[in-house]
């Protein structure tokens, strides 16, 4: 979960559930209303819904075994009584085990399409993940809800280790608009049905990472008004991996560079400016003499100078960006291409891969009319 100063009520409850150490038996998710700083007692409202679900399902752990999540408009009050009496019974009746697609679809807010990834281990165990999120997406983690489910028998402590590692390389490595959310949640939960083998933990760790990275890419590509997805690969950074991730986010969050990408304009000065700005603010004691930058695989900056060779190169770079462009209102993505950006410092141990989106008129339109 995130660490905002105004956390959503489900986040407060979730932290309490995790600290209790008791098993989680059920997840409940509502969209449209985030249950953050609303009138009345938001925590009591969420607990009321948890209790209603626990009673409908006759859960042995009661309401304390139910983990709630909410997403939507901040400040509005959740209609708990109506949800408990009218929605919960129908939702329980509609439970099924055939597919997670409906769940991925029904948790969407401004998302354009459902996000669902799956992987099967060699022992037959499955990992299935669903996610939502399209705006206010900035680590840590992003305005997003993600639920990864498995039937593999695995300890709680191992699950936590696997999830923490996967989240760092996926959801903590994306940014759409630089705004953090009050309600971010990522859950990894197991029904403990399929017996483990010697390779289960390693396979599960890799599979969860693959599912989470896939969902993180889907979230970025589905960003509100997104026309391009940037993939920034940072190598040999003179600092930690965490600092390298911060640099990557600084680049993809640069309004000037985001706008250039949106217009298929290879304005390499804006990229160099974003890198230089970060290093000047946070790493003043580190040399940038060996920095090499690439765009679309072509070197554009080396030995302290731009390496640009006329109109042909300019067109090549612009064509690369145009090839990665997608429809800002597409119901489903037509490709999985990125605007590829490389930044190699040549003299450090830090590395990171960060995904980010451009800034379009459609993004402004969506957020200007969000409540109307």
């Amino acid at each position: 979960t995130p660490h905002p100063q105004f956390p959503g009520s489900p986040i407060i409850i979730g932290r309490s559930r995790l600290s209790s150490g008791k098993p989680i038996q059920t997840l409940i998710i509502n969209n449209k209303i985030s249950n953050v700083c609303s009138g009345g007692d938001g925590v009591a409202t969420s607990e009321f819904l948890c209790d209603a679900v626990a009673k409908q399902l006759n859960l042995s752990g009661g309401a304390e075994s139910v983990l709630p999540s909410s997403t939507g408009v901040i400040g509005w009050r959740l209609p708990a009584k109506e949800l408990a009496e009218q929605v919960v019974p129908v939702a329980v009746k509609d439970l099924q085990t055939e597919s997670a697609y409906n769940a991925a679809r029904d948790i969407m807010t401004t998302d354009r399409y459902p996000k669902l990834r799956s992987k099967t281990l060699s022992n037959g165990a499955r990992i299935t993940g669903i996610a939502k999120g399209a705006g206010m997406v900035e680590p840590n983690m992003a305005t997003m809800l993600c639920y990864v489910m498995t039937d593999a028998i695995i300890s709680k402590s191992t699950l936590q280790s696997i999830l923490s590692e996967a989240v760092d390389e996926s959801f903590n490595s994306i940014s759409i608009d630089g705004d953090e959310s009050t309600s971010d949640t990522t859950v990894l939960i197991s029904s403990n049905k399929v017996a483990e083998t010697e390779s289960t933990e390693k396979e599960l760790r890799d599979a969860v990472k693959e599912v989470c990275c896939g969902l993180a890419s889907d979230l970025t590509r589905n960003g509100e008004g997104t026309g391009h997805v940037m993939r920034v690969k940072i190598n040999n950074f003179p600092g930690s991996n965490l600092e390298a991730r911060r640099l990557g986010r600084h680049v993809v969050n640069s309004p000037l560079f985001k706008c250039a990408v949106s217009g298929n304009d290879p304005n390499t000065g804006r990229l160099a400016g974003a890198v230089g700005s970060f290093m000047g603010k946070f790493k003043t004691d580190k040399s940038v003499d060996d920095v090499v930058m690439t765009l679309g695989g072509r070197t554009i900056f080396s030995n302290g100078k731009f390496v640009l060779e006329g109109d042909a190169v300019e067109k090549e770079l612009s064509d690369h960006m145009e090839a990665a462009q997608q429809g800002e209102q597409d119901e489903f993505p037509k490709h999985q291409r990125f605007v590829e950006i490389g930044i190699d410092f040549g003299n450090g141990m830090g590395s990171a891969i960060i995904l980010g989106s451009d800034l379009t008129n459609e993004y402004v339109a969506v957020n200007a009319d969000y409540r109307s």
Side-chain angles (χ1 to χ4, degrees), residues 356-368:
S357 66
D358 58 359
L359 181 57
T360 64
N361 290 333
E362 179 66 14
Y363 173 84
V364 176
V366 168
N367 283 283

Side-chain angles (χ1 to χ4, degrees), residues 235-238 275 279 286-293 299 301-305 342-348:
N235 290 304
N236 301 307
F237 181 79
V275 175
M279 298 302 289
K286 300 300 181 182
S287 171
V288 294
D289 293 344
D290 297 327
V291 171
V292 175
M293 301 184 207
T299 298
F301 186 92
S302 180
N303 297 318
K305 299 177 182 179
I343 308 170
D344 192 328
F345 285 80
N347 55 10

